[in-house]
Amino acid sequence: MQRHILRPAVGQKGVAGVKDGHGAPPIDPGIMCIHNSGTTEGEQAPMPLTIDRPTILENARLALPDGVRSGALAVQDGHIAAIGTPPAGDWTRIDLQGRLITPALIDCHTHIIHGGHRAQEFAMRLEGASYAEIARAGGGIVSTVSATRGASVDDLVAQALPRLDALIAEGVTTVEVKSGYGLDMETEIRMLRAARRLETLRPVRIRTSFLGAHAVPAEYSGRADDYLHEICLPALRAAHAEGLVDAVDGFCEGIAFDPAQIARVFDAARALELPVKLHAEQLTHTGGTALAASYGALSADHVEYATDADAQALSAAGTVAVLLPGAFYTLRERQAPPVAAFRAHGVAMALATDCNPGSSPMTSVLLAMNMGCTLFGLTPDEALAGVTRNAARALGLSDCGTLAPGLRADLAIWDVESPAELAYRIGFNPLYARVFGGAATQG
């Protein structure tokens, strides 16, 4: 029997010379990866230490759906083998000295693949310009398109890695990544290729969403239906044929696409047997949430202007409401999502960063948890569920997000006394170690 005090890796760097996605080794199938959050500005996330034999994490406190319980967690072949009482046998044992184990965090809504930034819009908003006004003036989503169209896959990967590393440093092991800043066939596909490459360079799981229906590009101004027919839907089919799409998303809003147009996109997704999700009811009430529910969407995201009837529809469909407080904060919105209605109707609520260059330039899931509590009135328990089991559900994943035997050994180990501390602190990262079980898929 081998017994260890678990200590995070200190001062390790990424593979030397890897900047734009070339040269990093693949992650071996079935390993468990542990590394700390010691990434400083300009550094890559540290490469993981590996435990390649059955291991028991003992003297731990386990954050289970029904509360915190002291005990042990056994890991074998990249999965959770047992919880509670340590199993007998020849296991490596690691003493966690009372630290808290939660499921690893999941960021279920991001736009981390993009070119450039939109810092100038920050000043415009401070002067009183609204999101819609900036968009109509040629800013917003469309302003990122030219920078993204001019970037290669290598460029997009290089720009995305620091954002991804910031998430990894907070115990995130699964990240959803959207396209939507290309708005032409070539760039939409290039964005998804870049997203797939990320999981070959970091111990992380990437889930992609095709978001061709994000905005109408300038060259199709006033011709949204033509854009869908000539660019968006063909790009979706081509990306799916290349194995680049895990789900299909859209932006249902007055400045983007109406419900009938989104329905065309969802019909195409259904024909390809792809699940759907939707940016809905962020700025106004357009009927997007009800539309998403009618298609059995994985999630309806933003949902600030959703109604009680929308909450009932989400509940009946089993669709997750993904709350995005970073955009709410950045845009200085006043209408919060109807959390009370979601609770009353049993709607699962997830939280995410919505990391994007305009309305939510945020790369901290811990901050999203705090904002979900302070801005939207979630409890700390709801916030933790929102970045673990409900976030997994929003991605259609059933093999992670909870501490349970048989699930992936994707874990976060924290130097905290209670789970509430994760949402309570601002600008503080108490991660002690991050565990990534299973294999990274090659892009």
Side-chain angles (χ1 to χ4, degrees), residues 316-373:
T319 298
V320 177
V322 177
L323 312 185
L324 303 171
F328 179 89
Y329 168 83
T330 301
L331 299 178
R332 297 192 291 179
E333 294 292 336
R334 294 292 181 266
Q335 173 107 3
V339 168
F342 292 152
R343 286 188 187 126
H345 296 292
V347 177
M349 292 179 285
L351 282 167
T353 64
D354 189 20
C355 175
N356 74 72
S359 63
S360 186
M362 182 168 77
T363 53
S364 172
V365 173
L366 293 175
L367 181 56
M369 293 174 67
N370 176 274
M371 286 182 168
C373 295

Side-chain angles (χ1 to χ4, degrees), residues 80-120:
I80 299 172
I83 284 179
T85 303
D90 184 21
W91 296 72
T92 296
R93 294 175 179 268
I94 297 178
D95 184 358
L96 290 185
Q97 300 179 316
R99 291 183 172 88
L100 179 72
I101 301 179
T102 70
L105 307 189
I106 297 169
D107 197 352
C108 66
H109 182 128
T110 85
H111 305 256
I112 64 172
I113 294 287
H114 61 264
H117 63 81
R118 303 215 300 265
Q120 70 281 3

Side-chain angles (χ1 to χ4, degrees), residues 95-432:
D95 184 358
L96 290 185
Q97 300 179 316
R99 291 183 172 88
L100 179 72
I101 301 179
T102 70
L105 307 189
I106 297 169
D107 197 352
C108 66
H109 182 128
T110 85
H111 305 256
I112 64 172
I113 294 287
H114 61 264
H117 63 81
R118 303 215 300 265
Q120 70 281 3
E121 293 178 16
F122 179 68
M124 293 174 65
R125 280 193 296 272
L126 293 177
E127 293 172 358
S130 71
Y131 184 92
E133 288 168 343
I134 290 171
R136 292 191 181 101
I141 294 166
V142 174
S143 71
T144 302
V145 170
S146 60
T148 304
R149 286 180 175 178
S152 68
V153 170
D154 288 349
D155 294 334
L156 293 172
V157 168
Q159 292 181 59
L161 282 175
R163 304 166 194 142
L164 180 61
D165 286 344
L167 296 173
I168 288 173
E170 290 190 348
V172 172
T173 59
T174 301
V175 180
E176 185 262 7
V177 181
K178 303 178 190 296
S179 69
Y181 291 121
L183 307 183
D184 62 28
M185 184 176 296
E186 295 78 9
T187 312
E188 288 294 303
I189 291 174
R190 193 158 63 244
M191 290 183 70
L192 293 169
R193 289 172 181 159
R196 285 283 194 241
R197 187 184 290 180
L198 293 177
E199 63 186 357
T200 72
L201 302 175
R202 297 292 187 267
V204 71
R205 191 181 192 185
I206 299 294
R207 302 294 289 181
T208 59
S209 295
F210 176 84
L211 184 54
H214 197 194
V216 179
E219 62 268 27
Y220 278 88
S221 179
R223 298 190 296 129
D225 289 319
D226 290 341
Y227 166 72
L228 292 178
H229 177 70
E230 296 172 10
I231 301 296
C232 179
L233 298 183
L236 168 59
R237 297 182 187 106
H240 174 261
E242 199 172 317
L244 297 175
V245 184
D246 296 320
V248 175
D249 201 347
F251 188 18
C252 189
E253 191 58 68
I255 60 174
F257 298 92
D258 64 33
Q261 291 164 336
I262 293 296
R264 290 177 58 192
V265 177
F266 282 6
D267 287 340
R270 179 176 284 174
L272 297 173
E273 299 183 341
L274 290 169
V276 298
K277 55 181 58 189
L278 188 63
H279 294 58
E281 264 69 78
Q282 179 185 6
L283 306 173
T284 58
H285 189 275
T286 63
T289 302
L291 176 72
S294 73
Y295 278 83
L298 292 174
S299 68
D301 302 27
H302 289 289
V303 293
E304 280 92 333
Y305 285 83
T307 64
D308 189 80
D310 291 329
Q312 293 182 58
L314 293 179
S315 177
T319 298
V320 177
V322 177
L323 312 185
L324 303 171
F328 179 89
Y329 168 83
T330 301
L331 299 178
R332 297 192 291 179
E333 294 292 336
R334 294 292 181 266
Q335 173 107 3
V339 168
F342 292 152
R343 286 188 187 126
H345 296 292
V347 177
M349 292 179 285
L351 282 167
T353 64
D354 189 20
C355 175
N356 74 72
S359 63
S360 186
M362 182 168 77
T363 53
S364 172
V365 173
L366 293 175
L367 181 56
M369 293 174 67
N370 176 274
M371 286 182 168
C373 295
T374 57
L375 299 178
F376 294 162
L378 297 185
T379 69
D381 286 344
E382 287 174 329
L384 181 57
V387 297
T388 54
R389 62 180 180 272
N390 290 343
R393 182 173 164 184
L395 297 180
L397 299 175
S398 59
D399 63 351
C400 61
T402 304
L403 302 183
L407 299 191
R408 287 172 56 95
D410 289 351
L411 314 172
I413 302 170
W414 307 93
D415 270 319
V416 299
E417 294 182 0
S418 72
E421 288 186 57
L422 302 180
Y424 154 69
R425 297 185 186 276
I426 302 173
F428 180 75
N429 181 4
L431 185 72
Y432 181 76

